[in-house]
Amino acid sequence: MKRVLSIVLSAMLLLSLALPAMAEADRCGGTIIAWLGGDPSSYNPNMAMDDYTAMVMENVLSRLLKFDYCGNLLPDLASSWDISQDGLTYTFHLVDTKWHDGEPFSAEDVIWTLQKVQAEGVMGYALMGVTAMEAPDAHTVVLTLGAPDASLLYNLAYFGTYILPKHLYDGQDWLTCEAATTSPVGTGPYKFVEHQRSVSLTLEANMDYFGDVAQTDRVIYTIIPDANTAVQAFINGEIDYLGAAAPASELANLRSQGYVVNEQPYASRYYIAFNLREGRATANLKVRQAMAYGVDRQAILDKALAGSGSVAEGFAPSAIAWAYNGEDVMPQRDVDKAIALLEEAGLTKDADGYYLTLNFPNMTGFGDIASVFKDSMKDIGINIVINNMEPAAWQTEILAEDPDFDLTVLSGYHGPDASAMAMRVGSTGAVQFMGYNNPEVDRYLAEGVATTDQEARAAAYKAMQKLLSQDLPILPLCEVVITEVAQPYMSGLPLSNPGVTSVGDLSHARIDQ
């Protein structure tokens, strides 16, 4: 569990037909200078889930499917796919293309990669239900499941399922071989050129790409670890595309100066997670109800997040709209009600005026949220003792056999499919460290992946959220809005190109000047 949680925490992004390849004459050419906050840790994103690896390799490698910032499924190396009536057999029809080194791409590359991911990759847990993988011919892959799993397509479109060239990886260590460390080869819209560590990474257009040929001739990622320095370089005109990592505090200023600032609700949110184990004060439902009434989510949004995002109401990300329950939601703030619930729980104030003192280990990066949350709890007579910790120490604390914490704050991607909620609230979820166990929640989570009927799936997930609103193992705080920043002369950006462009894909971006 510790390994899976570490992977998930460090990561912390529709069926349609492929569009015809864009005519070369329609390309704008030129070079995009994009910001990258650090060096990719590897060129094998099936084992390295850091953002820098993902953002670069999204343009070099391909998957069977991909998805856009709205969560819509898009074709990639699979131009189409069929699902058997019983939901146990998935047949993928592959494009005819070549690897960047000229070797033909085939179904054998897909089989080799998915078997390797299943055995060793960061997404291996998501493919455990696949019992057989076959390649009837060079352009067809058939996956057989032991039980229906509607999340499979989304998992195949997620980071960590990129198809790798078997001829360069087979028989070698897939973390240390040349393709993983020095010269990555893919089938994507851009080819790898060079990487000068701590300076830049350069890609060039793949003119033989099976989809729309990249709009620009090159993408050069300039590596600047400090975000404020990167923003200044952007304002100075040294960077074209700042991307999705611009500091929230800078967005209003950048927008007022006429820069492109695109926003999109994202399937991620900040939330409080309680320790529900016997003997903890937070195991008392009335205490959790009091905190639900007492928390000032608007203040957290305004003060801790500089207004970036929105107040979270329901118990699953609103960005996954088809599965969102907007009726069984958090209560509106009511300090008097919160205090009454604490007294109903039999609590009395101590000499300092507090009903409770609670231990709050806080992971680096969440300091402002923890501080504003503490202020709102003080209003209802709860003293929050914050212990700021580095991520590794925080994980050790909350994953201990008998963890000594009462509550903490967490965020992270809750997608791409609604089934990902199982990791956070299911009794055996990889990021469910709270000791929460509701068999009815588990049942609805299981029902949600047992059919591909979206209406039936939605009903199951909405019922699950209703239970969460009653049990309150978590307190939703704020929804994340993902933002990208670009120069005003750019168009075709990932966030503004739904149904076409996947997360991090710069192949449709244009320099219009």
Side-chain angles (χ1 to χ4, degrees), residues 5 13 67 75 85 91 108 127 157 160 208 227 297 313 353-354 380 386 409 463 495 502:
L5 176 58
L13 304 108
F67 60 88
Q85 189 170 359
T91 302
E108 290 301 320
L127 298 180
D208 296 321
R297 291 167 288 148
E313 300 291 350
Y354 291 115
I380 66 171
I386 299 172
V409 64
L495 217 61
S502 60

PDB file of all heavy atoms in Angstrom, residues 5 13 67 75 85 91 108 127 157 160 208 227 297 313 353-354 380 386 409 463 495 502:
ATOM      1  N   LEU A   5       0.522   4.278  -2.658  1.00  0.00           N
ATOM      2  CA  LEU A   5       0.179   5.621  -2.190  1.00  0.00           C
ATOM      3  C   LEU A   5       1.239   6.619  -2.611  1.00  0.00           C
ATOM      4  O   LEU A   5       0.931   7.708  -3.078  1.00  0.00           O
ATOM      5  CB  LEU A   5       0.032   5.616  -0.670  1.00  0.00           C
ATOM      6  CG  LEU A   5      -0.242   6.994  -0.027  1.00  0.00           C
ATOM      7  CD1 LEU A   5      -1.507   7.587  -0.607  1.00  0.00           C
ATOM      8  CD2 LEU A   5      -0.317   6.878   1.466  1.00  0.00           C
ATOM      9  N   LEU A  13      -3.918  13.697 -14.948  1.00  0.00           N
ATOM     10  CA  LEU A  13      -4.530  14.804 -15.168  1.00  0.00           C
ATOM     11  C   LEU A  13      -5.187  14.286 -15.136  1.00  0.00           C
ATOM     12  O   LEU A  13      -4.474  12.799 -14.155  1.00  0.00           O
ATOM     13  CB  LEU A  13      -2.641  14.968 -15.596  1.00  0.00           C
ATOM     14  CG  LEU A  13      -1.768  14.718 -14.793  1.00  0.00           C
ATOM     15  CD1 LEU A  13      -0.953  12.897 -15.487  1.00  0.00           C
ATOM     16  CD2 LEU A  13      -1.932  15.020 -15.601  1.00  0.00           C
ATOM     17  N   PHE A  67      -7.084  11.222 -23.359  1.00  0.00           N
ATOM     18  CA  PHE A  67      -8.247  12.023 -22.998  1.00  0.00           C
ATOM     19  C   PHE A  67      -7.863  13.494 -22.912  1.00  0.00           C
ATOM     20  O   PHE A  67      -6.704  13.841 -22.693  1.00  0.00           O
ATOM     21  CB  PHE A  67      -8.908  11.546 -21.700  1.00  0.00           C
ATOM     22  CG  PHE A  67      -8.036  11.572 -20.477  1.00  0.00           C
ATOM     23  CD1 PHE A  67      -7.950  12.700 -19.692  1.00  0.00           C
ATOM     24  CD2 PHE A  67      -7.333  10.441 -20.095  1.00  0.00           C
ATOM     25  CE1 PHE A  67      -7.160  12.726 -18.552  1.00  0.00           C
ATOM     26  CE2 PHE A  67      -6.549  10.447 -18.958  1.00  0.00           C
ATOM     27  CZ  PHE A  67      -6.455  11.595 -18.187  1.00  0.00           C
ATOM     28  N   PRO A  75      -9.353   8.743 -29.529  1.00  0.00           N
ATOM     29  CA  PRO A  75      -8.527   7.685 -30.101  1.00  0.00           C
ATOM     30  C   PRO A  75      -7.066   8.107 -30.151  1.00  0.00           C
ATOM     31  O   PRO A  75      -6.755   9.293 -30.236  1.00  0.00           O
ATOM     32  CB  PRO A  75      -9.110   7.509 -31.509  1.00  0.00           C
ATOM     33  CG  PRO A  75      -9.701   8.839 -31.829  1.00  0.00           C
ATOM     34  CD  PRO A  75     -10.221   9.384 -30.528  1.00  0.00           C
ATOM     35  N   GLN A  85     -20.753  -7.725 -25.610  1.00  0.00           N
ATOM     36  CA  GLN A  85     -21.991  -7.468 -24.878  1.00  0.00           C
ATOM     37  C   GLN A  85     -21.862  -7.786 -23.397  1.00  0.00           C
ATOM     38  O   GLN A  85     -22.476  -7.115 -22.559  1.00  0.00           O
ATOM     39  CB  GLN A  85     -23.137  -8.281 -25.498  1.00  0.00           C
ATOM     40  CG  GLN A  85     -24.514  -7.910 -24.954  1.00  0.00           C
ATOM     41  CD  GLN A  85     -25.636  -8.550 -25.744  1.00  0.00           C
ATOM     42  OE1 GLN A  85     -25.405  -9.267 -26.717  1.00  0.00           O
ATOM     43  NE2 GLN A  85     -26.875  -8.298 -25.331  1.00  0.00           N
ATOM     44  N   THR A  91     -11.764  -5.171 -28.011  1.00  0.00           N
ATOM     45  CA  THR A  91     -10.986  -5.346 -29.232  1.00  0.00           C
ATOM     46  C   THR A  91     -10.583  -3.968 -29.762  1.00  0.00           C
ATOM     47  O   THR A  91     -11.442  -3.120 -30.027  1.00  0.00           O
ATOM     48  CB  THR A  91     -11.788  -6.095 -30.298  1.00  0.00           C
ATOM     49  OG1 THR A  91     -12.194  -7.370 -29.765  1.00  0.00           O
ATOM     50  CG2 THR A  91     -10.955  -6.312 -31.556  1.00  0.00           C
ATOM     51  N   GLU A 108       2.253  -6.271 -31.369  1.00  0.00           N
ATOM     52  CA  GLU A 108       3.215  -6.876 -30.443  1.00  0.00           C
ATOM     53  C   GLU A 108       3.785  -5.834 -29.484  1.00  0.00           C
ATOM     54  O   GLU A 108       4.087  -6.147 -28.332  1.00  0.00           O
ATOM     55  CB  GLU A 108       4.337  -7.563 -31.220  1.00  0.00           C
ATOM     56  CG  GLU A 108       3.898  -8.821 -31.951  1.00  0.00           C
ATOM     57  CD  GLU A 108       3.330  -9.877 -31.014  1.00  0.00           C
ATOM     58  OE1 GLU A 108       3.889 -10.060 -29.905  1.00  0.00           O
ATOM     59  OE2 GLU A 108       2.315 -10.512 -31.363  1.00  0.00           O
ATOM     60  N   LEU A 127      -4.740  -2.720 -14.246  1.00  0.00           N
ATOM     61  CA  LEU A 127      -4.843  -3.734 -15.296  1.00  0.00           C
ATOM     62  C   LEU A 127      -4.913  -5.152 -14.735  1.00  0.00           C
ATOM     63  O   LEU A 127      -4.887  -6.115 -15.495  1.00  0.00           O
ATOM     64  CB  LEU A 127      -3.643  -3.630 -16.249  1.00  0.00           C
ATOM     65  CG  LEU A 127      -3.503  -2.300 -17.006  1.00  0.00           C
ATOM     66  CD1 LEU A 127      -2.267  -2.340 -17.912  1.00  0.00           C
ATOM     67  CD2 LEU A 127      -4.742  -2.005 -17.825  1.00  0.00           C
ATOM     68  N   ALA A 157      -6.131   5.174 -20.989  1.00  0.00           N
ATOM     69  CA  ALA A 157      -5.883   6.527 -21.490  1.00  0.00           C
ATOM     70  C   ALA A 157      -5.129   7.380 -20.482  1.00  0.00           C
ATOM     71  O   ALA A 157      -4.822   8.540 -20.763  1.00  0.00           O
ATOM     72  CB  ALA A 157      -7.215   7.200 -21.841  1.00  0.00           C
ATOM     73  N   GLY A 160       0.958   6.596 -17.627  1.00  0.00           N
ATOM     74  CA  GLY A 160       1.481   5.317 -17.141  1.00  0.00           C
ATOM     75  C   GLY A 160       1.118   4.151 -18.026  1.00  0.00           C
ATOM     76  O   GLY A 160       1.428   2.999 -17.709  1.00  0.00           O
ATOM     77  N   ASP A 208       5.770  12.175 -40.247  1.00  0.00           N
ATOM     78  CA  ASP A 208       5.104  10.929 -40.623  1.00  0.00           C
ATOM     79  C   ASP A 208       4.055  10.523 -39.584  1.00  0.00           C
ATOM     80  O   ASP A 208       3.603   9.374 -39.561  1.00  0.00           O
ATOM     81  CB  ASP A 208       6.136   9.805 -40.771  1.00  0.00           C
ATOM     82  CG  ASP A 208       7.110  10.064 -41.907  1.00  0.00           C
ATOM     83  OD1 ASP A 208       6.670  10.560 -42.953  1.00  0.00           O
ATOM     84  OD2 ASP A 208       8.314   9.774 -41.738  1.00  0.00           O
ATOM     85  N   ALA A 227       9.244  29.328 -10.132  1.00  0.00           N
ATOM     86  CA  ALA A 227       8.052  29.753 -10.868  1.00  0.00           C
ATOM     87  C   ALA A 227       8.019  31.260 -11.101  1.00  0.00           C
ATOM     88  O   ALA A 227       7.616  31.728 -12.171  1.00  0.00           O
ATOM     89  CB  ALA A 227       6.799  29.307 -10.116  1.00  0.00           C
ATOM     90  N   ARG A 297     -15.212  27.200   3.900  1.00  0.00           N
ATOM     91  CA  ARG A 297     -14.636  26.824   2.605  1.00  0.00           C
ATOM     92  C   ARG A 297     -14.386  28.032   1.722  1.00  0.00           C
ATOM     93  O   ARG A 297     -13.413  28.070   0.953  1.00  0.00           O
ATOM     94  CB  ARG A 297     -15.567  25.829   1.906  1.00  0.00           C
ATOM     95  CG  ARG A 297     -15.615  24.463   2.590  1.00  0.00           C
ATOM     96  CD  ARG A 297     -16.767  23.604   2.068  1.00  0.00           C
ATOM     97  NE  ARG A 297     -18.047  24.105   2.541  1.00  0.00           N
ATOM     98  CZ  ARG A 297     -19.192  24.031   1.856  1.00  0.00           C
ATOM     99  NH1 ARG A 297     -19.197  23.491   0.646  1.00  0.00           N
ATOM    100  NH2 ARG A 297     -20.313  24.509   2.357  1.00  0.00           N
ATOM    101  N   GLU A 313     -18.825  21.470  -3.052  1.00  0.00           N
ATOM    102  CA  GLU A 313     -20.107  21.219  -2.400  1.00  0.00           C
ATOM    103  C   GLU A 313     -20.351  19.723  -2.193  1.00  0.00           C
ATOM    104  O   GLU A 313     -20.671  19.274  -1.109  1.00  0.00           O
ATOM    105  CB  GLU A 313     -21.242  21.819  -3.237  1.00  0.00           C
ATOM    106  CG  GLU A 313     -21.142  23.323  -3.452  1.00  0.00           C
ATOM    107  CD  GLU A 313     -21.373  24.130  -2.186  1.00  0.00           C
ATOM    108  OE1 GLU A 313     -21.790  23.543  -1.176  1.00  0.00           O
ATOM    109  OE2 GLU A 313     -21.127  25.350  -2.211  1.00  0.00           O
ATOM    110  N   GLY A 353     -10.893  27.505  26.538  1.00  0.00           N
ATOM    111  CA  GLY A 353     -12.067  27.772  25.726  1.00  0.00           C
ATOM    112  C   GLY A 353     -12.249  26.821  24.552  1.00  0.00           C
ATOM    113  O   GLY A 353     -13.032  27.104  23.641  1.00  0.00           O
ATOM    114  N   TYR A 354     -11.566  25.661  24.589  1.00  0.00           N
ATOM    115  CA  TYR A 354     -11.661  24.703  23.485  1.00  0.00           C
ATOM    116  C   TYR A 354     -12.409  23.443  23.919  1.00  0.00           C
ATOM    117  O   TYR A 354     -12.183  22.907  25.009  1.00  0.00           O
ATOM    118  CB  TYR A 354     -10.267  24.299  22.996  1.00  0.00           C
ATOM    119  CG  TYR A 354      -9.529  25.413  22.297  1.00  0.00           C
ATOM    120  CD1 TYR A 354      -8.360  25.944  22.853  1.00  0.00           C
ATOM    121  CD2 TYR A 354      -9.983  25.925  21.085  1.00  0.00           C
ATOM    122  CE1 TYR A 354      -7.666  26.962  22.217  1.00  0.00           C
ATOM    123  CE2 TYR A 354      -9.287  26.944  20.436  1.00  0.00           C
ATOM    124  CZ  TYR A 354      -8.143  27.467  21.008  1.00  0.00           C
ATOM    125  OH  TYR A 354      -7.467  28.480  20.387  1.00  0.00           O
ATOM    126  N   ILE A 380     -15.342  27.615  16.286  1.00  0.00           N
ATOM    127  CA  ILE A 380     -16.318  26.703  16.888  1.00  0.00           C
ATOM    128  C   ILE A 380     -15.759  26.009  18.130  1.00  0.00           C
ATOM    129  O   ILE A 380     -16.362  25.079  18.659  1.00  0.00           O
ATOM    130  CB  ILE A 380     -16.839  25.659  15.875  1.00  0.00           C
ATOM    131  CG1 ILE A 380     -15.721  24.699  15.436  1.00  0.00           C
ATOM    132  CG2 ILE A 380     -17.456  26.349  14.672  1.00  0.00           C
ATOM    133  CD1 ILE A 380     -16.218  23.524  14.621  1.00  0.00           C
ATOM    134  N   ILE A 386      -1.148  22.089  14.141  1.00  0.00           N
ATOM    135  CA  ILE A 386      -0.584  21.745  12.834  1.00  0.00           C
ATOM    136  C   ILE A 386       0.876  21.338  12.990  1.00  0.00           C
ATOM    137  O   ILE A 386       1.671  22.049  13.609  1.00  0.00           O
ATOM    138  CB  ILE A 386      -0.711  22.928  11.862  1.00  0.00           C
ATOM    139  CG1 ILE A 386      -2.176  23.289  11.639  1.00  0.00           C
ATOM    140  CG2 ILE A 386      -0.032  22.606  10.531  1.00  0.00           C
ATOM    141  CD1 ILE A 386      -2.382  24.561  10.837  1.00  0.00           C
ATOM    142  N   VAL A 409      -5.030  17.182   5.464  1.00  0.00           N
ATOM    143  CA  VAL A 409      -5.589  17.696   4.217  1.00  0.00           C
ATOM    144  C   VAL A 409      -4.859  17.040   3.058  1.00  0.00           C
ATOM    145  O   VAL A 409      -3.667  16.732   3.145  1.00  0.00           O
ATOM    146  CB  VAL A 409      -5.483  19.238   4.130  1.00  0.00           C
ATOM    147  CG1 VAL A 409      -4.029  19.698   4.111  1.00  0.00           C
ATOM    148  CG2 VAL A 409      -6.224  19.768   2.907  1.00  0.00           C
ATOM    149  N   ALA A 463     -25.383   7.371  -5.403  1.00  0.00           N
ATOM    150  CA  ALA A 463     -25.793   6.735  -4.143  1.00  0.00           C
ATOM    151  C   ALA A 463     -24.613   6.649  -3.186  1.00  0.00           C
ATOM    152  O   ALA A 463     -24.763   6.837  -1.963  1.00  0.00           O
ATOM    153  CB  ALA A 463     -26.367   5.350  -4.420  1.00  0.00           C
ATOM    154  N   LEU A 495      -6.007  23.362 -23.390  1.00  0.00           N
ATOM    155  CA  LEU A 495      -7.168  23.601 -22.550  1.00  0.00           C
ATOM    156  C   LEU A 495      -8.356  24.159 -23.325  1.00  0.00           C
ATOM    157  O   LEU A 495      -9.492  24.071 -22.880  1.00  0.00           O
ATOM    158  CB  LEU A 495      -6.788  24.566 -21.430  1.00  0.00           C
ATOM    159  CG  LEU A 495      -7.447  24.295 -20.071  1.00  0.00           C
ATOM    160  CD1 LEU A 495      -7.066  22.929 -19.547  1.00  0.00           C
ATOM    161  CD2 LEU A 495      -7.058  25.368 -19.066  1.00  0.00           C
ATOM    162  N   SER A 502      -5.132  16.265 -26.224  1.00  0.00           N
ATOM    163  CA  SER A 502      -5.010  15.614 -24.933  1.00  0.00           C
ATOM    164  C   SER A 502      -4.205  16.484 -23.971  1.00  0.00           C
ATOM    165  O   SER A 502      -3.599  17.488 -24.352  1.00  0.00           O
ATOM    166  CB  SER A 502      -4.329  14.247 -25.091  1.00  0.00           C
ATOM    167  OG  SER A 502      -3.025  14.386 -25.649  1.00  0.00           O
TER     168      SER A 502
END
